[in-house]
Every structure is written in structure tokens, then in C-alpha cells.
Amino acid sequence: MAKGRTQFVCQNCGTTHSRWVGKCEGCGEWNTVVEEDPMGGIGSGPGKVPKKGRPVALTALSGEIEEAPRIHTGIAELDRATGGGFVRGSAVLIGGDPGIGKSTLLMQAAAALSRHGHRIIYVSGEEAVAQVRLRAQRLQAHQTDVLLAAETNVEDILATIGEGKRPDLVIIDSIQTLWSDTAEAAPGTVTQVRTGVQAMIRFAKQTGAAMVLVGHVTKEGQIAGPRVVEHMVDAVLYFEGDRGHHYRILRTVKNRFGPTDEIGVFEMSDKGLREVSNPSELFLGERNEKAPGAVVFAGMEGTRPVLVEVQALVAPTSLGTPRRAVVGWDSARLSMILAVLEAHCGVRLGQHDVYLNVAGGYRISEPAADLAVASALVSSLAGLALPADCVYFGEVSLSGAIRPVAHTAQRLKEAEKLGFSQALLPAGSAELPKGTGGRWSEIEGLPDLVARIAGSKSALKREDEDV
Ligand code: TYD
Ligand code: MG
């Protein structure tokens, strides 16, 4: 590229274009391409000769391994999601929708760490000192030694956090407000965010301080300039939740120092976030015991079982094309289940609207929920409530067979703990817990499920007639 020539960078995916275009060729988004200085203004001036490289010592793969030194926050759900606490010298990105509670969570973490004698610096680029203090007061965090700065300039922040004793943890809230003198692009652009984050990561690696970066997610579900930041940091956590519900989930999507399938569950109260150590109780809390279309799914989140209610409503449509609406599950997966029900079980849903909801605003990503969803759909269509003390799990294949899933024992144990005495699970499931009081019924295929529910209908009818 010719010296000094600007390039055009998509703010969504980071693709560079040689000229301005309305639609990014990389991600297909409209109006996301912005003119930027190609080198971010760093070292791109004329007359700069690259310095000669210095050889570094090569070592073998074998050798002593040091456990990553971690800083435990004492907030169990947060420590669980990070894989045991923040790692010194690492950078963590915490993303989430604006207003979901990122600043609240980090202020609580900062206060907890500070109480344990750690030196914590909280840099707020979005709120004034007074606002942060107000929140701290609300969280009962104002009597701690957390150090506060309201600053957005990268060089000033580095100078501030580099002064005096090394901080144990630095929180930058948020990366979108960072701007550096060395980058000529406007604040908030990919170049600025990238430059700022790079500088913060360098600080973390050099000093051994843990760095927590807050990033907002745009409505498309991405942090502005996200791709470029996600791969730079050591761990990426997303703080999710539904505005209409109180609980929030901290989900790990990348972690160089720990597992990526763990979640931390919190509940937003008027005094900040409260830990939820038993999520199933929370998700089942508002359960309407016996209603057609309501089924309890025994799911897993990482190493932890989570019971959640799946609700379906199947009703005759008044539209030419029936509606399919899903909240908390994959709509493609719902279409698949509907197709299997039609093809293999003779359940016709072409004239019915189908609504599927996962209670509490929770999101299921496991295919193991297939059986629970199918049961909810058939139950709603038949207008028959299923047993309230039964949990369901199993994956449905295109042939209509129900496949075993992992962690059978853990799912069943959690169900028993919460008072469920029955389960419908795939035939051939390994690791069935022995000697438990529960009634576990194995099922081979979806047609069996439909027959079971239809069978319960005739059973119910007979009971009605008896009365
Ligand atoms: P905040 O942490 O500012 O969100 P983010 O940093 O992700 O943008 O949280 C904002 C919301 O949380 C706001 O709607 C108010 C609510 N909240 C409570 O319900 N209780 C509390 O104790 C606090 C501090 C905030
Ligand atoms: Mg905030």
C-alpha cells in the first residue's frame, strides 16, 4: 500500500477495503465502512527504519509448568466463569448489552478484591466519578480502597496505572471510549479500540496486572470492533440476560486459562448482583405446575446441571402461512423437530401456529433439549398436561430416533434433588444411577413418545368417564 494512503475499514468485522463501499464485502453489513489511517498512525511516518531483530532463547515443550497465578474474587459465580479467578498478566474482555450490569458486576468484584488487600484501579470512561461513587454506595462498595479514575485517553491511563505500586487488577470501562493520540481515527472506530486494547494488554503482560476490559455489544450481538478485540485478549466472557428478568448469566466463550463451557448465574437486585448457586431453583421458581405444553428439561451448562421449563403453544392458525416463533432456542432446530414429527409420527402442524418459549428468558444451546421440546409440542397439540414430576432429555435425529446424550447421571441427580421422581430419557443411556428411587423410562423414538402421550389421553378419558 502506498505510503500515507488511507484505507477503509468495516467497523463491524474489520475487513479493509481500498475504497469506500456502502456494503462491507466481509460481513455484508451496510454503512459500517469508515476511512482510517492504515497503520493506526503508529510508526508509519517516513524515515522510520525497522530495528534489527534480537534473537530470543528457544526452549523445549517439556519442563516445569507453573500454575497460572490467579486472583480469586471470592464471588463464586464469577470465579467459576473465569475458571478460578482472574489470571495475573492476562486480559479479559467482558461483553454485554448496555445496561445489563457489567459495571455493577465489576464494581462488586473490585470491592471484594480490595477487601482482600488487592490494589484495584477502576477506570471509567463512560461515567463521571460522582456516578461511579453513587453506584458504589448502592453496592455497599464505597468503604473500600478501590481507586477510581474517569479517563478515556490511553496514554493518560497508562501513565496513571503505571505510577506507584503495581495494581493487581485494572478495570477499563469501556474499551469503546478509549482513544489514543497515536491513532488518528475517530474515537470508537476499530483502529482506536484496537490501539487502546493493545496498549492495555501490553501493560498487563509487562507488569503482571490482570486487565479487565468492558465492551458493549451492538444490537447485532457483537461488540463494536469485536472480532479484532476478541482474538487479542486471553478470555472473553459475555454477560447476558433478559431485561424483563432479573437474572443474568456470565458465559465464557474463550478462555486460554480455563474451560469455556462454564457459566456464572446472578440475580440483579436493588443492591446489586446476587449469586445464584442453584440456577435450577431459579428457573423453575415460577413454574405453573400442570399445564399442557409445559415440560421440564434437564440440561447441562458446562459441568453444572440446570433444570428449566420449556413451554410450547400449538394453536390453529388464522394465517395463510402459520407462525413459528421461538424464544430461547434455535428456530432451525424447532423446524427440524416439527418436520420429524410430521414425517415419522403423523403429527400434522401445517395448519397450526407454533410458539416455543424457554422460561425465565434462559437460552438453551444443547441438542439434548430436543425430546423436551417435542414433548411440549405434542402435549400442547393434544391439550394434555404431562406429569409435573417428570424431566425430559434426549437428542432427536432426523430418522425420529432418540439418541443418548452425555451426563445422564448428573441430570438425573439434579432432577431427584429438586423433587422430580420420573424421567423420560433415550434408550441405551449409559451411567444410569443405581439404587435411586426415581422412575426412569427409556424411549427409542419419537413415535413412541407420541403414542405415550396419546395413550395418556385415552387413560385420562377413561378416568373422566368413571367419574
Ligand atoms: P450497569 O452495571 O450500569 O450496566 P452496564 O455497565 O452493563 O451498562 O447496570 C445498569 C442497570 O442495573 C440499571 O438498569 C440499573 C440496574 N441496577 C440494579 O438493578 N441494581 C443495582 O444495585 C445497580 C447498581 C444497578
Ligand atoms: Mg457500564
Side-chain angles (χ1 to χ4, degrees):
M1 187 172 289
K3 235 178 245 162
R5 201 161 124 203
T6 54
Q7 60 185 17
F8 298 85
V9 183
C10 172
Q11 303 299 300
N12 189 40
C13 67
T15 305
T16 53
H17 307 257
S18 56
R19 62 191 168 80
W20 190 85
V21 286
K23 185 182 179 184
C24 171
E25 288 154 18
C27 61
E29 284 293 312
W30 286 90
N31 280 330
T32 53
V33 175
V34 169
E35 184 176 347
E36 287 187 15
D37 186 352
M39 300 294 287
I42 313 162
S44 59
K48 282 214 173 165
V49 187
K51 73 166 186 169
K52 196 161 179 298
R54 167 181 64 87
V56 296
L58 299 170
T59 58
L61 272 180
S62 59
E64 288 288 302
I65 304 166
E66 276 178 51
E67 194 46 46
R70 292 183 182 270
I71 316 173
H72 303 278
T73 58
I75 302 176
E77 293 295 306
L78 178 59
D79 287 343
R80 175 195 282 274
T82 51
F86 294 113
V87 176
R88 289 186 193 276
S90 79
V92 181
L93 174 69
I94 297 194
D97 287 324
I100 206 72
K102 300 181 293 297
S103 305
T104 307
L105 176 69
L106 290 174
M107 179 52 78
Q108 283 180 264
L113 286 169
S114 168
R115 285 193 196 103
H116 288 114
H118 293 291
R119 181 174 155 91
I120 314 296
I121 301 182
Y122 190 110
V123 182
S124 172
E126 298 189 338
E127 292 156 309
V129 168
Q131 275 173 295
V132 181
R133 279 192 184 143
L134 214 65
R135 179 185 295 114
Q137 225 164 52
R138 191 168 166 187
L139 300 173
Q140 303 292 317
H142 59 298
Q143 302 287 22
T144 58
D145 297 325
V146 176
L147 299 163
L148 189 61
E151 185 50 61
T152 55
N153 181 275
V154 173
E155 286 72 31
D156 292 348
I157 293 175
L158 288 178
T160 313
I161 59 181
E163 207 179 37
K165 192 169 157 267
R166 180 200 75 177
D168 293 293
L169 182 85
V170 179
I171 297 164
I172 306 288
D173 188 2
S174 68
I175 56 168
Q176 272 99 358
T177 59
L178 289 180
W179 66 278
S180 165
D181 300 325
T182 59
E184 272 156 31
T189 55
V190 168
T191 302
Q192 283 287 7
V193 170
R194 191 196 282 151
T195 310
V197 168
Q198 232 154 27
M200 295 305 151
I201 293 174
R202 211 176 308 126
F203 178 87
K205 304 266 179 248
Q206 279 168 0
T207 62
M211 184 69 68
V212 179
L213 306 163
V214 175
H216 290 296
V217 169
T218 56
K219 62 177 182 307
E220 288 79 27
Q222 290 170 334
I223 299 176
R227 297 282 153 85
V228 261
V229 178
E230 272 196 6
H231 76 259
M232 288 160 63
V233 294
D234 297 300
V236 180
L237 306 176
Y238 279 98
F239 206 36
E240 311 171 339
D242 192 302
R243 286 291 188 85
H245 296 280
H246 287 304
Y247 78 88
R248 306 276 183 264
I249 291 179
L250 190 62
R251 196 182 288 280
T252 320
V253 295
K254 162 180 173 178
N255 196 348
R256 286 186 183 147
F257 302 105
T260 51
D261 50 4
E262 287 295 353
I263 60 165
V265 185
F266 299 89
E267 194 176 5
M268 182 64 97
S269 73
D270 56 347
K271 288 196 180 60
L273 291 156
R274 251 204 314 265
E275 295 178 61
V276 176
S277 46
N278 193 345
S280 303
E281 271 168 16
L282 182 74
F283 297 135
L284 294 177
E286 306 149 21
R287 205 155 105 78
N288 181 2
E289 285 254 308
K290 249 195 149 178
V295 161
V296 175
F297 165 54
M300 291 293 295
E301 278 289 355
T303 55
R304 177 155 61 170
V306 176
L307 263 51
V308 60
E309 190 181 65
V310 175
Q311 305 159 348
L313 175 63
V314 179
T317 186
S318 53
L319 305 164
T321 316
R323 279 192 63 112
R324 306 280 184 249
V326 192
V327 179
W329 207 49
D330 183 12
S331 57
R333 201 107 200 145
L334 173 67
S335 305
M336 191 197 97
I337 301 288
L338 293 176
V340 174
L341 280 172
E342 289 230 28
H344 297 292
C345 313
V347 177
R348 307 252 167 267
L349 292 158
Q351 298 301 315
H352 288 82
D353 288 334
V354 174
Y355 301 91
L356 190 78
N357 178 40
V358 177
Y362 181 72
R363 235 200 111 69
I364 302 177
S365 50
E366 261 189 304
D370 291 353
L371 181 59
V373 169
S375 307
L377 292 170
V378 177
S379 156
S380 174
L381 180 69
L384 289 168
L386 297 177
D389 62 344
C390 187
V391 297
Y392 297 76
F393 60 89
E395 185 177 342
V396 171
S397 71
L398 285 180
S399 65
I402 294 172
R403 301 211 179 287
V405 293
H407 307 298
T408 303
Q410 268 167 291
R411 295 175 203 264
L412 292 176
K413 236 161 74 198
E414 175 80 356
E416 274 204 312
K417 202 169 92 193
L418 290 163
F420 291 85
S421 57
Q422 301 183 52
L424 199 60
L425 54 124
S429 291
E431 47 168 349
L432 276 187
K434 299 236 158 51
T436 51
R439 281 178 290 140
W440 318 136
S441 321
E442 301 192 11
I443 185 163
E444 300 259 352
L446 266 197
D448 306 343
L449 174 80
V450 176
R452 255 181 114 96
I453 298 177
S456 73
K457 183 180 199 168
S458 43
L460 285 177
K461 269 212 188 110
R462 248 176 279 129
E463 271 173 33
D464 288 347
E465 283 160 9
D466 288 349
V467 175

Coordinates of all heavy atoms in Angstrom, one line a residue, residues 259-308:
P259 N -11.7 -23.6 31.3 CA -12.8 -24.2 30.5 C -13.7 -23.1 29.9 O -13.7 -22.0 30.4 CB -13.6 -25.0 31.4 CG -13.4 -24.4 32.8 CD -12.0 -23.8 32.8
T260 N -14.3 -23.4 28.7 CA -15.1 -22.4 28.1 C -16.6 -22.7 28.2 O -17.4 -22.0 27.6 CB -14.8 -22.3 26.6 OG1 -14.8 -23.6 26.0 CG2 -13.4 -21.7 26.4
D261 N -16.9 -23.8 28.9 CA -18.4 -24.1 28.9 C -19.0 -23.8 30.3 O -20.1 -24.2 30.6 CB -18.6 -25.5 28.5 CG -17.7 -26.5 29.3 OD1 -17.0 -26.0 30.2 OD2 -17.8 -27.7 29.0
E262 N -18.3 -23.0 31.1 CA -18.9 -22.7 32.4 C -19.7 -21.4 32.4 O -19.5 -20.6 31.5 CB -17.8 -22.5 33.4 CG -17.0 -23.8 33.8 CD -17.9 -24.7 34.6 OE1 -19.1 -24.3 34.9 OE2 -17.5 -25.8 34.9
I263 N -20.7 -21.4 33.3 CA -21.5 -20.1 33.4 C -21.5 -19.7 34.8 O -21.4 -20.5 35.7 CB -22.9 -20.3 32.8 CG1 -23.7 -21.3 33.6 CG2 -22.9 -20.5 31.3 CD1 -25.2 -21.3 33.4
G264 N -21.7 -18.4 35.0 CA -22.0 -17.9 36.4 C -23.4 -17.3 36.3 O -23.7 -16.7 35.4
V265 N -24.1 -17.6 37.3 CA -25.5 -17.1 37.3 C -25.7 -16.1 38.5 O -25.3 -16.3 39.6 CB -26.5 -18.2 37.5 CG1 -27.9 -17.7 37.4 CG2 -26.3 -19.3 36.5
F266 N -26.3 -15.0 38.1 CA -26.5 -13.9 39.1 C -28.0 -13.4 39.0 O -28.6 -13.6 38.0 CB -25.6 -12.7 38.8 CG -24.2 -13.0 38.9 CD1 -23.5 -13.4 37.7 CD2 -23.5 -12.8 40.0 CE1 -22.1 -13.7 37.8 CE2 -22.1 -13.0 40.1 CZ -21.4 -13.5 39.0
E267 N -28.4 -12.8 40.1 CA -29.7 -12.2 40.1 C -29.5 -10.7 40.4 O -28.8 -10.3 41.3 CB -30.5 -12.8 41.1 CG -32.0 -12.6 41.0 CD -32.8 -13.4 42.1 OE1 -32.1 -14.0 42.9 OE2 -34.0 -13.3 42.0
M268 N -30.1 -9.8 39.6 CA -30.0 -8.4 39.8 C -31.0 -7.9 40.8 O -32.2 -8.2 40.7 CB -30.2 -7.6 38.5 CG -30.0 -6.1 38.6 SD -28.4 -5.6 39.0 CE -27.7 -5.2 37.4
S269 N -30.5 -7.4 41.9 CA -31.4 -6.9 42.9 C -31.2 -5.4 43.1 O -30.4 -4.8 42.3 CB -31.1 -7.6 44.3 OG -29.9 -7.1 44.8
D270 N -31.9 -4.8 44.0 CA -31.7 -3.3 44.2 C -30.4 -3.0 44.9 O -30.0 -1.9 44.9 CB -32.9 -2.7 45.0 CG -33.1 -3.4 46.3 OD1 -32.5 -4.5 46.5 OD2 -33.9 -2.9 47.1
K271 N -29.7 -4.0 45.4 CA -28.4 -3.8 46.0 C -27.3 -4.5 45.2 O -26.4 -5.0 45.7 CB -28.4 -4.3 47.4 CG -29.2 -3.4 48.4 CD -28.8 -3.6 49.8 CE -29.6 -2.7 50.7 NZ -31.1 -2.9 50.6
G272 N -27.5 -4.6 43.9 CA -26.5 -5.2 43.0 C -26.8 -6.6 42.7 O -27.9 -7.1 42.9
L273 N -25.8 -7.3 42.2 CA -25.9 -8.6 41.7 C -25.7 -9.6 42.9 O -24.8 -9.5 43.7 CB -24.9 -8.9 40.6 CG -25.2 -8.2 39.3 CD1 -23.9 -8.0 38.5 CD2 -26.2 -8.9 38.5
R274 N -26.7 -10.6 42.9 CA -26.6 -11.6 43.9 C -26.2 -12.9 43.2 O -26.7 -13.2 42.2 CB -27.9 -11.8 44.6 CG -27.9 -11.3 46.1 CD -29.0 -11.9 46.9 NE -30.3 -12.0 46.2 CZ -31.2 -11.1 46.4 NH1 -31.1 -10.0 47.2 NH2 -32.4 -11.2 45.8
E275 N -25.4 -13.7 43.9 CA -25.0 -15.0 43.3 C -26.2 -16.0 43.3 O -26.9 -16.0 44.3 CB -23.9 -15.6 44.0 CG -22.6 -14.9 43.9 CD -21.5 -15.5 44.7 OE1 -21.2 -16.7 44.4 OE2 -21.0 -15.0 45.6
V276 N -26.3 -16.8 42.3 CA -27.4 -17.8 42.3 C -26.6 -19.1 42.2 O -26.1 -19.5 41.2 CB -28.3 -17.7 41.1 CG1 -29.3 -18.8 41.1 CG2 -29.0 -16.3 41.2
S277 N -26.5 -19.8 43.3 CA -25.7 -21.1 43.3 C -26.5 -22.3 42.8 O -25.9 -23.2 42.4 CB -25.0 -21.3 44.6 OG -26.0 -21.2 45.6
N278 N -27.8 -22.2 42.9 CA -28.6 -23.3 42.3 C -29.6 -22.7 41.3 O -30.7 -22.4 41.6 CB -29.3 -24.0 43.4 CG -29.9 -25.3 42.9 OD1 -30.0 -25.5 41.7 ND2 -30.3 -26.2 43.8
P279 N -29.1 -22.6 40.0 CA -29.9 -22.0 39.0 C -31.2 -22.7 38.7 O -32.2 -22.0 38.4 CB -29.0 -22.0 37.7 CG -27.7 -22.5 38.2 CD -27.8 -23.1 39.5
S280 N -31.3 -24.0 38.9 CA -32.5 -24.7 38.6 C -33.7 -24.2 39.4 O -34.8 -24.0 38.9 CB -32.3 -26.2 38.9 OG -31.3 -26.7 38.1
E281 N -33.4 -23.9 40.7 CA -34.4 -23.4 41.6 C -35.0 -22.1 41.1 O -36.2 -21.8 41.1 CB -33.9 -23.3 43.0 CG -34.1 -24.6 43.8 CD -33.3 -24.6 45.1 OE1 -32.9 -23.5 45.5 OE2 -33.1 -25.7 45.6
L282 N -34.1 -21.3 40.5 CA -34.5 -20.0 40.0 C -35.4 -20.2 38.7 O -36.4 -19.6 38.6 CB -33.2 -19.2 39.7 CG -33.5 -17.8 39.2 CD1 -33.9 -16.9 40.3 CD2 -32.2 -17.2 38.6
F283 N -34.9 -21.0 37.8 CA -35.6 -21.2 36.6 C -36.9 -21.9 36.7 O -37.9 -21.7 36.0 CB -34.8 -21.9 35.5 CG -33.5 -21.2 35.2 CD1 -32.3 -21.8 35.1 CD2 -33.5 -19.8 34.9 CE1 -31.1 -21.1 34.8 CE2 -32.4 -19.1 34.6 CZ -31.2 -19.8 34.5
L284 N -37.0 -22.7 37.8 CA -38.3 -23.4 38.0 C -39.2 -22.7 38.9 O -40.3 -23.2 39.2 CB -38.0 -24.8 38.5 CG -37.3 -25.8 37.5 CD1 -37.0 -27.1 38.1 CD2 -38.1 -26.0 36.2
G285 N -38.7 -21.6 39.5 CA -39.4 -20.9 40.5 C -40.8 -20.5 40.2 O -41.7 -20.6 41.0
E286 N -41.0 -20.0 38.9 CA -42.3 -19.5 38.6 C -43.1 -20.6 37.8 O -43.9 -20.3 37.0 CB -42.1 -18.3 37.6 CG -41.2 -17.2 38.2 CD -40.4 -16.5 37.1 OE1 -40.9 -16.5 35.9 OE2 -39.4 -15.9 37.4
R287 N -42.9 -21.8 38.1 CA -43.5 -22.9 37.4 C -45.0 -23.0 37.7 O -45.4 -23.0 38.8 CB -42.8 -24.2 37.7 CG -42.9 -25.2 36.6 CD -41.7 -26.1 36.7 NE -42.2 -27.4 37.2 CZ -42.8 -28.3 36.5 NH1 -43.1 -28.0 35.3 NH2 -43.1 -29.4 37.0
N288 N -45.7 -23.1 36.6 CA -47.1 -23.4 36.6 C -47.3 -24.9 36.5 O -47.1 -25.4 35.4 CB -47.8 -22.6 35.5 CG -49.3 -22.8 35.5 OD1 -49.8 -23.5 36.4 ND2 -49.9 -22.3 34.5
E289 N -47.5 -25.5 37.6 CA -47.3 -27.0 37.7 C -47.9 -27.8 36.6 O -47.1 -28.4 35.8 CB -47.8 -27.5 39.0 CG -46.8 -27.1 40.2 CD -46.0 -28.3 40.7 OE1 -46.7 -29.3 41.0 OE2 -44.8 -28.2 40.7
K290 N -49.2 -27.8 36.4 CA -49.7 -28.7 35.4 C -50.4 -28.0 34.3 O -51.6 -27.6 34.5 CB -50.6 -29.7 36.1 CG -50.1 -31.1 36.1 CD -51.1 -32.2 36.4 CE -50.7 -33.5 35.7 NZ -51.6 -34.6 35.9
A291 N -49.7 -27.8 33.2 CA -50.4 -27.1 32.1 C -50.0 -27.8 30.8 O -48.8 -28.3 30.7 CB -50.0 -25.7 32.0
P292 N -50.8 -28.0 29.8 CA -50.4 -28.6 28.6 C -49.3 -27.8 27.9 O -49.4 -26.6 28.0 CB -51.7 -28.6 27.7 CG -52.8 -28.4 28.7 CD -52.2 -27.6 29.8
G293 N -48.3 -28.5 27.4 CA -47.3 -27.7 26.7 C -46.1 -27.4 27.6 O -45.1 -26.8 27.1
A294 N -46.2 -27.6 28.9 CA -45.1 -27.3 29.8 C -44.3 -28.5 30.2 O -44.9 -29.5 30.6 CB -45.6 -26.6 31.0
V295 N -43.0 -28.5 30.0 CA -42.2 -29.7 30.2 C -40.9 -29.2 30.8 O -40.4 -28.2 30.5 CB -41.9 -30.3 28.8 CG1 -40.7 -31.2 28.9 CG2 -43.1 -31.1 28.3
V296 N -40.3 -30.0 31.7 CA -39.1 -29.6 32.4 C -37.9 -30.4 31.7 O -37.9 -31.6 31.5 CB -39.0 -29.9 33.9 CG1 -37.7 -29.6 34.4 CG2 -40.1 -29.0 34.5
F297 N -37.0 -29.6 31.2 CA -35.8 -30.1 30.5 C -34.6 -30.2 31.5 O -34.4 -29.2 32.2 CB -35.4 -29.2 29.3 CG -34.0 -29.5 28.8 CD1 -33.7 -30.7 28.4 CD2 -33.2 -28.4 28.6 CE1 -32.4 -30.9 27.9 CE2 -31.9 -28.6 28.1 CZ -31.5 -29.9 27.7
A298 N -34.0 -31.3 31.6 CA -32.8 -31.5 32.4 C -31.6 -31.2 31.6 O -31.2 -32.1 30.8 CB -32.8 -32.9 33.1
G299 N -31.1 -30.0 31.7 CA -29.9 -29.6 30.8 C -28.6 -29.6 31.6 O -28.6 -29.8 32.8
M300 N -27.6 -29.3 30.8 CA -26.3 -29.1 31.4 C -25.7 -27.8 30.9 O -25.8 -27.4 29.8 CB -25.3 -30.2 31.0 CG -25.6 -31.6 31.5 SD -25.4 -31.8 33.2 CE -23.6 -31.6 33.4
E301 N -25.0 -27.1 31.8 CA -24.2 -25.9 31.4 C -22.8 -26.2 31.9 O -22.6 -26.1 33.1 CB -24.8 -24.6 32.1 CG -25.9 -24.0 31.4 CD -25.6 -23.4 30.1 OE1 -24.4 -23.3 29.7 OE2 -26.5 -22.9 29.4
G302 N -21.9 -26.5 31.0 CA -20.6 -26.9 31.5 C -20.6 -28.1 32.3 O -21.2 -29.2 31.9
T303 N -20.2 -28.0 33.6 CA -20.2 -29.1 34.5 C -21.4 -29.1 35.4 O -21.5 -29.9 36.3 CB -18.9 -29.1 35.3 OG1 -18.9 -27.8 36.0 CG2 -17.7 -29.2 34.5
R304 N -22.3 -28.2 35.2 CA -23.4 -28.0 36.1 C -24.7 -28.3 35.5 O -25.1 -27.8 34.4 CB -23.4 -26.5 36.6 CG -24.5 -26.2 37.5 CD -24.1 -25.0 38.4 NE -23.8 -23.8 37.6 CZ -23.7 -22.7 38.2 NH1 -23.8 -22.6 39.5 NH2 -23.4 -21.6 37.5
P305 N -25.6 -29.1 36.1 CA -26.9 -29.4 35.6 C -27.8 -28.2 35.9 O -27.7 -27.6 36.9 CB -27.3 -30.6 36.4 CG -26.5 -30.7 37.6 CD -25.3 -29.9 37.4
V306 N -28.7 -28.0 34.9 CA -29.6 -26.9 35.0 C -31.0 -27.3 34.5 O -31.1 -27.8 33.4 CB -29.2 -25.6 34.1 CG1 -30.3 -24.6 34.2 CG2 -27.9 -25.1 34.6
L307 N -32.0 -27.3 35.4 CA -33.3 -27.7 35.0 C -34.1 -26.4 34.7 O -34.1 -25.4 35.4 CB -34.0 -28.3 36.2 CG -34.0 -29.9 36.2 CD1 -32.6 -30.4 36.0 CD2 -34.6 -30.4 37.5
V308 N -34.8 -26.5 33.5 CA -35.5 -25.3 33.1 C -36.8 -25.8 32.3 O -36.8 -26.9 31.8 CB -34.6 -24.5 32.2 CG1 -34.1 -25.2 31.0 CG2 -35.3 -23.2 31.7

